[in-house]
Structure formats: structure tokens, C-alpha cells
């Protein structure tokens, strides 16, 4: 290729007007755009999936404010590098220079001590911090730092926005113009990108070389043929993050410990955050196993704690133990389905009244209104159970939890049937 600069880098917008997506925060009249125009932005965390423009937005902010810009990667930088940048920023402040912007990519990978080292500089206004993360900052950024930052949530790019990025590349990139590249169909490019603009442009660049050599236009079949053959080259950069976590979860759900531990290894070798993996296991333990094996949630939660205590690389062993156990366990999504049905029912029926006998009566007025007067205390009856209505009257007899077809939940079903007879149809 005539240039060594990747297409994704060549197409990085130079001004805010060319930025694609995230109109809810940078569109006309949006909060962040107004702050940029007033040249007064807060320290912030940009939270969103890969390839939606977090780094680009940070660069555009610094350029619009005409301030010095420092950039660190949490993967490659430690406390030493952070302190060196903060010392430079402090020197600028002493000479009444503009407050610099410090961009930290993948800030969720910083340890607590590394994040602590940023606190003083953010509090004093030595730097304006812009952190980028693909992980929920509530879990990954220390509360003291998070409280001093505005969190902006970046959304996945829409199909229209991704098509616009392709069109801009074909129309505006000098190299693609010279080669007279034609994109006749874009659906395959969009599908393979997974909403990631960087991945989209990487794939476009890949098929462009093949299109030039074969003197063919870019179609869906052409993309599928050439990108699938070369897709492995993107693994090391983590671009298949969402595809692999999907395969990982589905392998555990499908009771295949061999496939599950394979995808676990793929994530480990790709540099995935072990805490991210452990959190997903906690969710899966309730969503896909639930009451079929209540120990699954206990083990998954303990695994998360162990990952935090033991650290890397030993915690890979705890992850492997938990993954193989969860994959081998009995499965049930009954609890997951129950809360989905319940929420759907609430949305349809609105704020139904709480039956009087279930209401609390802390005041005389409430007692006079018969709040709680007919309530029957379950522990005062044989077997700690008495039949009474707990649902709003309008929903009496509505079954939301349907125990799964497994040994543990079959026992629950028999117990519920004995208690409620035919009321809930157990």
C-alpha cells in the first residue's frame, strides 16, 4: 500500500463537525458540545463499546479547546508515567499556561493506586482528565475519582452512521480515490464490524487490497470471502471482544466445559480484564443456572472475590474452576424468565394498589384505616405457611415463576404445589 498509516487513522475526524455518531452528547445543543463551545469542560469518563469514537472525541476536545494534550494507555503506563505527566502539567500551571487535557485510554485497567495518583491533580485543576473505558465505571473507577468526573455514555453506532463512515472513506481518502474503489454492497462489512467503526475501516482496508488485485467491486460475497480468511489477524487487538464473550457464555449455557474453557483461554491470551470475565460468570450463574443449582451463584461470587484478592496470573485458575463447574451444572433460566414476566406485567398493569392486609401501619391513622388488620403471620401457623393473597386483587392467581425441569427445582415445584394447591397451577 502507498501509505503506512492505517485507513482508520487516516479517517479520524479533524474537527467536531466531521465526527459521526453520539449526537446525544455532541449534537447541536447537547451538553458536552455546549461545554466545548464555552471552552469549559469538566473532567470526564467516556464509557462505551470499542470503536465508537472515545479516543477521537478526546482529541477533538483538546483541539477545540486549544490546550496541551497528553495521552496515556493504561495497558502500557504505570504510576511512574502518570506522575511524569502530572509534573509536566504542574510546570505549565506555574507558568500560567493553559490547563492540559490528560487522556487515559482503558482507564478501567488502572489499579487503585494508579487511579489514586490522579486524584490530587484533578482536584487542583492541574489537568482536565478524560478517561475512556469499555467497562462500567461504577465498578472499575474508584469512587473518589468518579465523583469528580462527569460520565458520558457513548452508544453503538447505528447502521446509517456506519454506512456514512464507509462513504466518507471512499469519497475523501486520497488513496481510495486514486484506486477508484467501489462499494456496491455494505451489509457484510457492517455485520463483521459489530458496530465498531475502527473494525469497519480495518475490514474495508483489507478488502480494498483484494479488490485492487482482482479488479472487482466490493460486494457482500467478496467481503465474506476475504475477511473471513484473514480475520485471525484482528484477534490480538481485542476487536472480537463481543463475539468471543458471546461464544463463551453460550458454551457455558450449552453445558460444554471444553468449549467454555477454550474461549476463556482466548480471552486470557487476548488481554481481557479478568474482573470483567468474573462479573459475567456471576450474571450467568443466576440467569442460566439459578435454582437448578444455587451453589453456582455462591461459587461465581467467590470467584469474583478471589480474582480481586489473588490477582493475575494465578486467578486464571479460579476462573477455570468456576467456568468448568458452571458449564457442567444443571441449567435453568426460570428465575430470569420470572423477573422478565413480572416487569412486563408491571408495565402493562401500572401501579396496582397493595392489598390492605399487606400494608404497614406505623401510625394510628393507618390502623384506623384497617391497614394490616387481616394479615396472617406465616410463622404462627404449622409449617410456617398459611394461604392468603399476596398479589394485587387484579392479579390473583397469576403465575410468574415456573420452576425448571431439573431435580432441584422439581422439589420446589412439589413444595409450591402442596402449599398453593391449584391457585398457581403448579
Amino acid at each position: 500500500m502507498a501509505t503506512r498509516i492505517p485507513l482508520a487513522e487516516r479517517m479520524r475526524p479533524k474537527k467536531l463537525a466531521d465526527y459521526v455518531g453520539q449526537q446525544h452528547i455532541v449534537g447541536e445543543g447537547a451538553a458536552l458540545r455546549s461545554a466545548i463551545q464555552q471552552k469549559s469542560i469538566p473532567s470526564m469518563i467516556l464509557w462505551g463499546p470499542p470503536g465508537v469514537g472515545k479516543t477521537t472525541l478526546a482529541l477533538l476536545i483538546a483541539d477545540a479547546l486549544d490546550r496541551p494534550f497528553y495521552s496515556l494507555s493504561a495497558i502500557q503506563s504505570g504510576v511512574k508515567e502518570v506522575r511524569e505527566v502530572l509534573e509536566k502539567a504542574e510546570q505549565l500551571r506555574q507558568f500560567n499556561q493553559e490547563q492540559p487535557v490528560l487522556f487515559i485510554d482503558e482507564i478501567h485497567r488502572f489499579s487503585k493506586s494508579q487511579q489514586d495518583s490522579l486524584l490530587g491533580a484533578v482536584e487542583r485543576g492541574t489537568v482536565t482528565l478524560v478517561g475512556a473505558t469499555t467497562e462500567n465505571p461504577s465498578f472499575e473507577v474508584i469512587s473518589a475519582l468518579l465523583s469528580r468526573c462527569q460520565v458520558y455514555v457513548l452508544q453503538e453506532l447505528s447502521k446509517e452512521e456506519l454506512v456514512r463512515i464507509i462513504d466518507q472513506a471512499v469519497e475523501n481518502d486520497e488513496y481510495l480515490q486514486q484506486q477508484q474503489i467501489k462499494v456496491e454492497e455494505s451489509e457484510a462489512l457492517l455485520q463483521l464490524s459489530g458496530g465498531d467503526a475502527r473494525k469497519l475501516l480495518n475490514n474495508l482496508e483489507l478488502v480494498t487490497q483484494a479488490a485492487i488485485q482482482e479488479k472487482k467491486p466490493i460486494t457482500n460475497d467478496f467481503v465474506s470471502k476475504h475477511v473471513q480468511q484473514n480475520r485471525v489477524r484482528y484477534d490480538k487487538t481485542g476487536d472480537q471482544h463481543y463475539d468471543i464473550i458471546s461464544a463463551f457464555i453460550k458454551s457455558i449455557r450449552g453445558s460444554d466445559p471444553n468449549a467454555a474453557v477454550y474461549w476463556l483461554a482466548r480471552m486470557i491470551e487476548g488481554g481481557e480484564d479478568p474482573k470483567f470475565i468474573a462479573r459475567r460468570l456471576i450474571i450467568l450463574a443466576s440467569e442460566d443456572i439459578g435454582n437448578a443449582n444455587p451453589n453456582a451463584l455462591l461459587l461465581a461470587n467467590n470467584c469474583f472475590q478471589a480474582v480481586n484478592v489473588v490477582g493475575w496470573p494465578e486467578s486464571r485458575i479460579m476462573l477455570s474452576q468456576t467456568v468448568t463447574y458452571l458449564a457442567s451444572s444443571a441449567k435453568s433460566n426460570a428465575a430470569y424468565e420470572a423477573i422478565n414476566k413480572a416487569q412486563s406485567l408491571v408495565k402493562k398493569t401500572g401501579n396496582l394498589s397493595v392489598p390492605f392486609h399487606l400494608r404497614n401501619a406505623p401510625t394510628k391513622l393507618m390502623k384506623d384505616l384497617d391497614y394490616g388488620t387481616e394479615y396472617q403471620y406465616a410463622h404462627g401457623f404449622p409449617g410456617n405457611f398459611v394461604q392468603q393473597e399476596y398479589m394485587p386483587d387484579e392479579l390473583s392467581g397469576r403465575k410468574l415463576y415456573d420452576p425448571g425441569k431439573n431435580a432441584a427445582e422439581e422439589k420446589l415445584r412439589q413444595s409450591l404445589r402442596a402449599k398453593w394447591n391449584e391457585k398457581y397451577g403448579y
Side-chain angles (χ1 to χ4, degrees):
M1 188 169 177
T3 177
R4 295 179 181 177
I5 302 174
L7 177 61
E9 189 61 34
R10 301 201 305 272
M11 291 307 301
R12 195 182 292 277
K14 301 297 188 296
K15 54 183 183 293
L16 199 57
D18 296 330
Y19 184 78
V20 177
Q22 316 310 329
Q23 292 303 294
H24 62 292
I25 58 173
V26 296
E28 289 295 337
L32 183 54
R33 188 184 188 97
S34 298
I36 295 171
Q37 291 172 339
Q38 295 168 13
K39 297 187 179 297
S40 177
I41 65 165
S43 287
M44 67 183 75
I45 303 294
L46 303 176
W47 172 29
V52 296
K54 297 185 292 292
T55 302
T56 297
L57 185 54
L59 291 167
L60 292 174
I61 288 171
D63 182 68
L65 299 179
D66 194 23
R67 292 191 198 173
F69 182 82
Y70 299 122
S71 178
L72 294 174
S73 169
I75 296 177
Q76 301 170 342
S77 305
V79 174
K80 177 177 176 289
E81 288 77 13
V82 172
R83 286 177 177 165
E84 288 175 353
V85 169
L86 296 182
E87 287 173 4
K88 292 178 184 178
E90 185 63 36
Q91 291 172 3
L92 290 176
R93 192 171 76 146
Q94 291 174 359
F95 287 98
N96 295 320
Q97 298 292 314
E98 286 286 343
Q99 181 188 49
V101 174
L102 171 58
F103 174 66
I104 300 180
D105 195 19
E106 298 194 80
I107 193 171
H108 61 276
R109 292 184 182 268
F110 263 1
S111 66
K112 182 180 183 299
S113 61
Q114 289 170 312
Q115 294 185 34
D116 280 336
S117 66
L118 297 168
L119 268 177
V122 172
E123 286 180 332
R124 294 191 302 272
T126 305
V127 297
T128 297
L129 173 66
V130 179
T133 178
T134 57
E135 303 297 323
N136 189 331
S138 298
F139 297 117
E140 302 297 341
V141 179
I142 59 174
S143 57
L145 185 58
L146 189 61
S147 67
R148 290 162 176 81
C149 296
Q150 176 69 44
V151 177
Y152 292 103
V153 181
L154 279 69
Q155 302 170 350
E156 273 197 5
L157 298 174
S158 67
K159 177 182 177 180
E160 292 73 19
E161 289 165 342
L162 292 167
V163 169
R164 182 179 163 194
I165 289 172
I166 294 174
D167 292 341
Q168 285 182 345
V170 173
E171 295 169 6
N172 301 329
D173 182 70
E174 183 177 347
Y175 179 77
L176 297 187
Q177 285 179 337
Q178 291 173 355
Q179 301 301 325
Q180 297 183 329
I181 295 299
K182 293 182 179 179
V183 179
E184 293 186 352
E185 296 175 322
S186 59
E187 288 79 6
L189 281 170
L190 300 183
Q191 183 178 6
L192 290 168
S193 75
D196 183 330
R198 180 173 56 251
K199 188 174 181 180
L200 175 68
L201 291 173
N202 285 340
N203 286 339
L204 176 60
E205 187 170 34
L206 179 65
V207 296
T208 291
Q209 300 313 302
I212 293 169
Q213 293 172 5
E214 299 180 27
K215 297 181 180 180
K216 292 182 178 179
I218 295 174
T219 63
N220 292 335
D221 289 341
F222 190 84
V223 169
S224 298
K225 174 185 175 183
H226 291 279
V227 174
Q228 294 288 0
Q229 289 177 349
N230 294 276
R231 209 169 179 188
V232 68
R233 72 178 61 185
Y234 295 102
D235 286 355
K236 291 183 180 179
T237 67
D239 285 334
Q240 287 183 322
H241 169 87
Y242 289 102
D243 291 342
I244 290 178
I245 193 65
S246 176
F248 174 64
I249 294 300
K250 288 171 181 173
S251 298
I252 301 175
R253 181 182 297 144
S255 299
D256 188 340
N258 301 295
V261 81
Y262 166 78
W263 292 117
L264 173 64
R266 283 283 297 272
M267 288 189 286
I268 289 172
E269 292 302 314
E272 184 59 81
D273 184 351
K275 289 188 289 185
F276 167 77
I277 301 172
R279 278 200 305 275
R280 293 304 298 261
L281 293 177
I282 294 175
I283 297 168
L284 180 141
S286 280
E287 180 178 344
D288 294 303
I289 297 174
N291 292 326
N293 180 4
N295 285 331
L297 180 58
L298 299 177
L299 182 62
N301 189 59
N302 284 339
C303 175
F304 181 81
Q305 299 301 325
V307 166
N308 281 276
V309 171
V310 175
W312 204 247
E314 289 81 1
S315 57
R316 69 193 175 93
I317 305 169
M318 292 80 174
L319 288 170
S320 179
Q321 177 188 353
T322 307
V323 165
T324 51
Y325 179 83
L326 297 184
S328 304
S329 174
K331 303 296 190 299
S332 171
N333 70 342
Y336 172 73
E337 290 292 336
I339 189 60
N340 286 346
K341 292 175 184 176
Q343 286 183 276
S344 176
L345 185 61
V346 168
K347 290 174 183 176
K348 290 179 181 177
T349 57
N351 297 320
L352 298 178
S353 297
V354 176
F356 271 73
H357 66 283
L358 297 181
R359 298 187 190 187
N360 195 22
T363 69
K364 183 178 182 302
L365 175 60
M366 291 177 176
K367 290 177 182 177
D368 291 343
L369 292 174
D370 292 331
Y371 280 27
T373 54
E374 296 181 8
Y375 173 66
Q376 300 179 81
Y377 185 58
H379 294 293
F381 293 84
N384 302 312
F385 175 79
V386 60
Q387 279 206 12
Q388 65 182 322
E389 185 61 68
Y390 292 98
M391 280 282 207
D393 293 339
E394 297 88 339
L395 301 178
S396 181
R398 184 70 64 92
K399 182 169 72 172
L400 299 174
Y401 173 56
D402 187 14
K405 298 184 184 303
N406 56 78
E409 285 189 288
E410 186 57 35
K411 290 182 180 179
L412 296 181
R413 184 186 298 277
Q414 296 300 329
S415 174
L416 291 169
R417 182 179 295 159
K419 289 181 172 71
W420 293 104
N421 299 323
E422 300 300 322
K423 178 173 182 179
Y424 288 111
Y426 289 114

